[in-house]
Amino acid sequence: QLQLVESGGGLVQPGGSLRLSCTVSGFAANSYTIGWFRQAPGKEREGVSSMSSNGDTEYLDSVKGRFAISRDNAKMTVYLQMNSLKPEDTAVYYCAKGRFSNRNLTPLAPHEYDYWGQGTQVTVSS
Protein backbone atom coordinates (compact mmCIF):
# COMPACT_ATOMS: atom_id res chain seq x y z
CA GLN A 1 0.00 0.00 0.00
CA LEU A 2 1.47 3.31 -1.10
CA GLN A 3 1.61 5.82 1.75
CA LEU A 4 3.31 9.07 2.78
CA VAL A 5 3.31 10.23 6.41
CA GLU A 6 4.49 13.66 7.52
CA SER A 7 5.72 14.54 10.99
CA GLY A 8 7.68 17.24 12.77
CA GLY A 9 5.31 20.18 12.66
CA GLY A 10 4.59 22.39 15.62
CA LEU A 11 4.65 25.88 17.08
CA VAL A 12 7.88 27.85 16.76
CA GLN A 13 8.86 31.47 17.31
CA PRO A 14 9.92 33.68 14.40
CA GLY A 15 13.54 33.00 13.55
CA GLY A 16 13.31 29.44 14.83
CA SER A 17 13.76 26.12 13.05
CA LEU A 18 11.83 22.93 12.43
CA ARG A 19 12.60 19.75 10.53
CA LEU A 20 9.73 18.02 8.80
CA SER A 21 9.90 14.34 7.88
CA CYS A 22 8.05 12.48 5.14
CA THR A 23 8.29 8.71 5.53
CA VAL A 24 7.10 6.72 2.54
CA SER A 25 6.02 3.12 2.11
CA GLY A 26 4.94 1.06 -0.86
CA PHE A 27 7.54 2.61 -3.15
CA ALA A 28 11.17 3.67 -3.06
CA ALA A 29 11.65 7.31 -2.08
CA ASN A 30 14.62 7.61 -4.45
CA SER A 31 12.69 6.34 -7.46
CA TYR A 32 10.26 9.26 -7.69
CA THR A 33 10.35 12.99 -7.23
CA ILE A 34 9.14 13.92 -3.75
CA GLY A 35 7.70 17.37 -3.19
CA TRP A 36 6.85 19.47 -0.17
CA PHE A 37 3.83 21.75 -0.36
CA ARG A 38 2.00 24.06 2.02
CA GLN A 39 -1.43 25.52 2.28
CA ALA A 40 -2.37 28.44 4.49
CA PRO A 41 -6.01 29.23 5.37
CA GLY A 42 -7.78 30.87 2.44
CA LYS A 43 -4.85 30.32 0.09
CA GLU A 44 -4.07 27.84 -2.65
CA ARG A 45 -1.65 25.00 -2.08
CA GLU A 46 1.84 25.98 -3.22
CA GLY A 47 4.98 24.00 -3.90
CA VAL A 48 7.80 24.70 -1.46
CA SER A 49 10.55 22.30 -2.50
CA SER A 50 11.14 19.12 -4.46
CA MET A 51 13.86 16.54 -4.96
CA SER A 52 14.14 14.32 -8.03
CA SER A 53 15.24 10.71 -8.05
CA ASN A 54 18.81 11.76 -8.94
CA GLY A 55 18.94 14.37 -6.16
CA ASP A 56 18.23 17.56 -8.09
CA THR A 57 16.37 20.10 -5.99
CA GLU A 58 14.05 23.06 -6.50
CA TYR A 59 12.78 25.71 -4.10
CA LEU A 60 10.09 28.34 -3.96
CA ASP A 61 11.79 31.73 -4.21
CA SER A 62 10.57 32.87 -0.80
CA VAL A 63 12.24 29.93 0.99
CA LYS A 64 15.56 29.83 -0.88
CA GLY A 65 18.45 30.05 1.54
CA ARG A 66 16.21 29.16 4.50
CA PHE A 67 14.81 25.71 3.66
CA ALA A 68 16.70 22.60 2.60
CA ILE A 69 15.34 19.30 1.30
CA SER A 70 17.23 16.05 1.83
CA ARG A 71 16.64 12.32 1.63
CA ASP A 72 17.70 9.25 3.60
CA ASN A 73 17.13 6.29 1.29
CA ALA A 74 17.70 3.68 3.99
CA LYS A 75 15.02 5.27 6.17
CA MET A 76 12.69 5.88 3.21
CA THR A 77 12.37 9.45 4.46
CA VAL A 78 12.56 12.89 2.87
CA TYR A 79 13.24 15.85 5.14
CA LEU A 80 12.52 19.54 4.93
CA GLN A 81 14.81 21.55 7.20
CA MET A 82 13.26 24.95 7.79
CA ASN A 83 15.38 27.72 9.30
CA SER A 84 14.78 31.41 9.95
CA LEU A 85 11.07 30.78 10.01
CA LYS A 86 8.68 33.67 9.46
CA PRO A 87 5.01 34.11 10.38
CA GLU A 88 4.17 33.85 6.68
CA ASP A 89 5.52 30.29 6.67
CA THR A 90 2.55 29.27 8.81
CA ALA A 91 0.57 26.59 6.96
CA VAL A 92 -0.25 22.92 6.78
CA TYR A 93 2.71 21.23 5.11
CA TYR A 94 2.25 18.19 2.87
CA CYS A 95 4.60 15.85 1.09
CA ALA A 96 3.67 14.15 -2.14
CA LYS A 97 4.94 11.62 -4.67
CA GLY A 98 5.60 12.69 -8.24
CA ARG A 99 3.68 11.03 -11.05
CA PHE A 100 6.68 9.75 -12.98
CA SER A 101 9.47 7.44 -11.88
CA ASN A 102 13.17 7.84 -12.55
CA ARG A 103 12.92 11.21 -14.22
CA ASN A 104 15.11 14.07 -13.17
CA LEU A 105 12.24 16.50 -12.73
CA THR A 106 11.65 18.90 -9.86
CA PRO A 107 8.23 20.39 -10.44
CA LEU A 108 6.48 22.51 -7.83
CA ALA A 109 3.00 22.31 -9.39
CA PRO A 110 0.59 20.19 -7.34
CA HIS A 111 -0.92 18.53 -10.43
CA GLU A 112 2.43 16.83 -11.08
CA TYR A 113 1.94 14.72 -7.92
CA ASP A 114 -0.44 11.83 -7.40
CA TYR A 115 -0.17 10.63 -3.80
CA TRP A 116 -0.27 12.90 -0.79
CA GLY A 117 0.29 12.67 2.93
CA GLN A 118 -2.19 13.91 5.51
CA GLY A 119 -0.25 17.06 6.35
CA THR A 120 1.41 18.52 9.43
CA GLN A 121 0.68 21.96 10.91
CA VAL A 122 3.48 24.50 11.17
CA THR A 123 2.72 27.67 13.14
CA VAL A 124 5.25 30.49 13.40
CA SER A 125 4.21 32.93 16.07
CA SER A 126 5.55 34.77 19.09
Side-chain angles (χ1 to χ4, degrees):
Q1 181 179 358
L2 198 149
Q3 195 172 15
L4 300 94
V5 179
E6 304 95 338
S7 61
L11 173 64
V12 63
Q13 292 187 343
S17 298
L18 282 175
R19 188 178 76 161
L20 305 183
S21 300
C22 173
T23 301
V24 310
S25 58
F27 70 101
N30 60 347
S31 292
Y32 290 84
T33 296
I34 300 295
W36 281 99
F37 297 80
R38 66 187 181 188
Q39 188 165 20
K43 295 188 176 181
E44 292 187 354
R45 188 169 299 189
E46 65 177 354
V48 175
S49 182
S50 60
M51 175 177 276
S52 69
S53 56
N54 75 336
D56 290 343
T57 59
E58 184 62 82
Y59 295 93
L60 181 68
D61 283 347
S62 63
V63 308
K64 286 180 180 177
R66 299 189 298 122
F67 290 11
I69 191 170
S70 62
R71 185 175 64 210
D72 185 327
N73 295 332
K75 294 184 178 180
M76 300 282 280
T77 299
V78 177
Y79 302 99
L80 184 68
Q81 178 67 44
M82 306 187 296
N83 300 324
S84 302
L85 283 161
K86 304 175 180 180
E88 52 263 43
D89 295 317
T90 296
V92 177
Y93 283 71
Y94 302 88
C95 64
K97 168 190 158 294
R99 294 186 180 277
F100 305 106
S101 66
N102 297 322
R103 292 190 183 182
N104 301 328
L105 302 174
T106 54
L108 293 180
H111 70 263
E112 299 285 359
Y113 295 79
D114 53 6
Y115 286 88
W116 294 78
Q118 82 289 349
T120 186
Q121 176 70 47
V122 171
T123 302
V124 185
S125 175
S126 55

